[in-house]
Amino acid sequence: QVQVVESGGGLVQAGGSLRLSCTASGFDFGDLTMAWFRQAPGKEREAVSCIDVNRATVYANSIKGRFTISRDNAKNTLYLQMNSLKPEDTAMYSCAAKVLTYCPASWAAGGVFPYWGQGTQVTVSS
């Protein structure tokens, strides 16, 4: 069983930056493909980014060029650096994990990830 815990959310003004963290335990972190998702009130969950065990990354078009996903296997931690934040980035951000070596073509649907955290709230004020 993999336990996933997010942190780093908060309130930030438009144009600002935040870095989210996600720790995963219960499995060798280096064997996990990890992803970030977000969900705004009244909206469907949206895929943000995925990073595989070789640090290959995939980004949603809506955040490409503003967000950067990374991982530190020594710290069992996944990161999401968010720059140039916009009010429409306001959402609950969750990370997900799967014992897999790559980000599958269906990763954005979210269903391939069996392990999820509770989420961390990001609020961007205008």
Side-chain angles (χ1 to χ4, degrees):
Q1 185 77 8
V2 178
Q3 292 80 43
V4 179
V5 180
E6 304 92 338
S7 62
L11 174 64
V12 63
Q13 288 189 330
S17 298
L18 275 178
R19 188 177 78 161
L20 305 183
S21 299
C22 169
T23 59
S25 59
F27 208 87
D28 187 339
F29 187 78
D31 290 336
L32 299 173
T33 280
M34 306 289 295
W36 287 101
F37 293 80
R38 66 184 183 183
Q39 188 166 19
K43 294 188 177 182
E44 292 188 354
R45 184 177 61 199
E46 178 187 14
V48 175
S49 184
C50 182
I51 185 167
D52 72 14
V53 299
N54 296 310
R55 294 182 168 80
T57 58
V58 185
Y59 292 96
N61 288 335
S62 62
I63 56 84
K64 200 173 291 185
R66 298 189 297 123
F67 292 8
T68 302
I69 192 172
S70 62
R71 63 191 297 159
D72 185 336
N73 291 347
K75 295 182 179 179
N76 292 350
T77 302
L78 172 73
Y79 300 102
L80 185 68
Q81 178 67 44
M82 305 186 295
N83 299 328
S84 302
L85 282 162
K86 305 175 182 179
E88 51 263 43
D89 294 318
T90 295
M92 181 72 75
Y93 284 72
S94 299
C95 73
K98 182 176 177 63
V99 181
L100 191 65
T101 60
Y102 61 95
C103 296
S106 60
W107 76 272
V112 298
F113 294 96
Y115 307 111
W116 291 79
Q118 294 297 309
T120 185
Q121 178 67 38
V122 172
T123 303
V124 184
S125 62
S126 57

